Amino acid sequence: EVYSYLSRDPKKYREKYNVSCMQDVINQRIRLAKEYLLNTMHNVSEIAQACGYKSPEHFFRQFKKATGVTPVSYRRQNSKKNF
C-alpha cells in the first residue's frame, strides 16, 4: 500500500528515498545483475532477461553507465572463478 502511494507521487518517493522510483528500480536491477555475473555461468542475455530487461543492448548500456565497465569486464575483474 505504501509503495503504490509513493509510486503514484514521484516527488514524495524522491523525498522519502532520495532517489527517483525509476532510478531505484535501475539500481536494484544492476545490483541483481552483479550477483548473477559473479555467482552464475549465465550469459549476459540471460542475465539481462532475469533482471527485467527486454533488450540485452539496453541492459549492456545501463550496466556500463552505472558501473563504468561492461558486464563481461565486471565478471572478469571481480569473479574468483574463471567462467
Side-chain angles (χ1 to χ4, degrees):
E1 189 174 307
V2 172
Y3 174 76
S4 66
Y5 165 72
L6 291 173
S7 65
R8 283 183 274 153
D9 191 339
K11 287 183 182 180
K12 291 213 184 276
Y13 192 95
R14 184 180 285 281
E15 287 171 9
K16 183 163 179 72
Y17 298 107
N18 203 31
V19 66
S20 73
C21 184
M22 189 47 153
Q23 189 60 50
D24 201 13
V25 169
I26 292 167
N27 292 345
Q28 293 308 311
R29 286 177 170 179
I30 298 300
R31 181 194 57 75
L32 182 59
K34 287 177 178 181
E35 287 183 31
Y36 282 134
L37 287 164
L38 298 182
N39 298 307
T40 73
M41 291 190 294
H42 299 307
N43 66 41
V44 173
S45 293
E46 292 168 331
I47 291 171
Q49 185 177 15
C51 293
Y53 289 91
K54 293 180 180 175
S55 161
E57 295 81 13
H58 183 62
F59 164 69
F60 187 91
R61 284 191 304 272
Q62 278 200 330
F63 191 93
K64 187 167 182 182
K65 182 178 178 184
T67 65
V69 295
T70 66
V72 173
S73 293
Y74 180 86
R75 176 179 270 168
R76 269 195 231 124
Q77 293 170 6
N78 296 285
S79 181
K80 292 178 185 172
K81 299 174 187 171
N82 192 0
F83 292 109

